[in-house]
Amino acid sequence: MALTLHIRCEGHHRYLARVFDGKRMVGTPTTHGRIEDAIVAYADQRGELPKSETFDLWLDGWCVGVVTTAQMQTHATELAERLKMLSAVLR
């Protein structure tokens, strides 16, 4: 089962990233200056998180779907752009 990486804009160049296993938050929330920085940080699989090869990737209320950690590492910028585009178009 994929973990959920939820990124929320907290202000100008400040994004709060949290990981959920179902409805339960796991690990410690982190802040990042860019969306892609948050994506790469969680693709690296820190020790306090359950091991997962996939994440359901969200920005605020918008989702790009389930992506692999390999995609998160190599395509973080593109994934961040997709999330930003979804949030801008669907508002």
Side-chain angles (χ1 to χ4, degrees):
M1 183 166 126
L3 296 175
T4 299
L5 172 57
H6 186 269
I7 303 167
R8 182 175 72 202
C9 183
E10 295 279 297
H12 186 64
H13 295 289
R14 184 180 159 113
Y15 295 93
L16 175 68
R18 300 172 296 167
V19 173
F20 294 88
D21 185 359
K23 293 185 178 192
R24 183 179 60 90
M25 188 172 72
V26 293
T28 304
T30 58
T31 57
H32 304 271
R34 299 180 315 159
I35 297 167
E36 51 265 47
D37 294 341
I39 294 170
V40 169
Y42 284 94
D44 291 339
Q45 294 287 308
R46 295 200 214 137
E48 62 185 42
L49 296 177
K51 188 69 175 162
S52 179
E53 293 296 319
T54 57
F55 281 85
D56 199 13
L57 191 54
W58 288 79
L59 173 66
D60 294 322
W62 314 106
C63 179
V64 294
V66 176
V67 295
T68 66
T69 53
Q71 290 171 308
M72 290 168 65
Q73 290 169 335
T74 59
H75 299 295
T77 301
E78 292 86 353
L79 291 166
E81 289 300 318
R82 285 175 55 197
L83 285 165
K84 287 188 277 188
M85 181 65 72
L86 279 172
S87 71
V89 170
L90 297 174
R91 282 194 180 180

